[in-house]
Amino acid sequence: MLLGRLDNGLGYYRFAYNGSEKPYVGVIAQEVRALRPDAVFRGRDGYLRVYYDRLGIDLQSYDDWARSGGRLPKIFDKTLQSQTTEYVAKEFAHAGH
């Protein structure tokens, strides 16, 4: 479930990993890969994973996030911010808006 968009345009989501009911908050690897392929890798299970430290944000449980005030994190990587803004604009245009 989309919780909002980070300052750079990346979606910030509530999700659970396959086989788990524990909710987390974070970004979607497919969105990140389009902008920062160095921040995404494929795990042994075949699923894409995000190096959150390369984005300057933390993966955290939904409960921890909610207890801390439920604010969207700030990304301090200006390169990623400008690339993401361009990507979101292209996706928005491609969707016919």
Side-chain angles (χ1 to χ4, degrees), residues 3-74:
L3 299 171
R5 295 225 170 255
L6 303 179
D7 288 342
N8 62 13
L10 279 175
Y12 199 65
Y13 299 89
R14 177 182 182 201
F15 64 91
Y17 289 104
N18 288 339
S20 173
E21 293 188 24
K22 183 175 182 175
Y24 290 89
V25 293
V27 294
I28 299 295
Q30 289 84 348
E31 289 182 14
V32 175
R33 184 174 61 176
L35 304 167
R36 285 282 307 269
D38 65 301
V40 177
F41 70 100
R42 189 170 300 278
R44 287 184 170 179
D45 58 7
Y47 289 104
L48 295 176
R49 307 267 190 241
V50 174
Y51 287 118
Y52 279 85
D53 59 328
R54 293 184 183 178
L55 298 178
I57 61 176
D58 295 321
L59 171 69
Q60 55 186 323
S61 73
Y62 177 78
D63 292 340
D64 288 345
W65 177 75
R67 274 193 293 272
S68 70
R71 292 184 185 91
L72 298 179
K74 302 287 184 195

Side-chain angles (χ1 to χ4, degrees), residues 67-89:
R67 274 193 293 272
S68 70
R71 292 184 185 91
L72 298 179
K74 302 287 184 195
I75 291 185
F76 298 102
D77 182 334
K78 295 296 183 189
T79 302
L80 178 61
Q81 186 169 6
S82 64
Q83 290 172 339
T84 305
T85 302
E86 291 170 15
Y87 171 76
V88 170

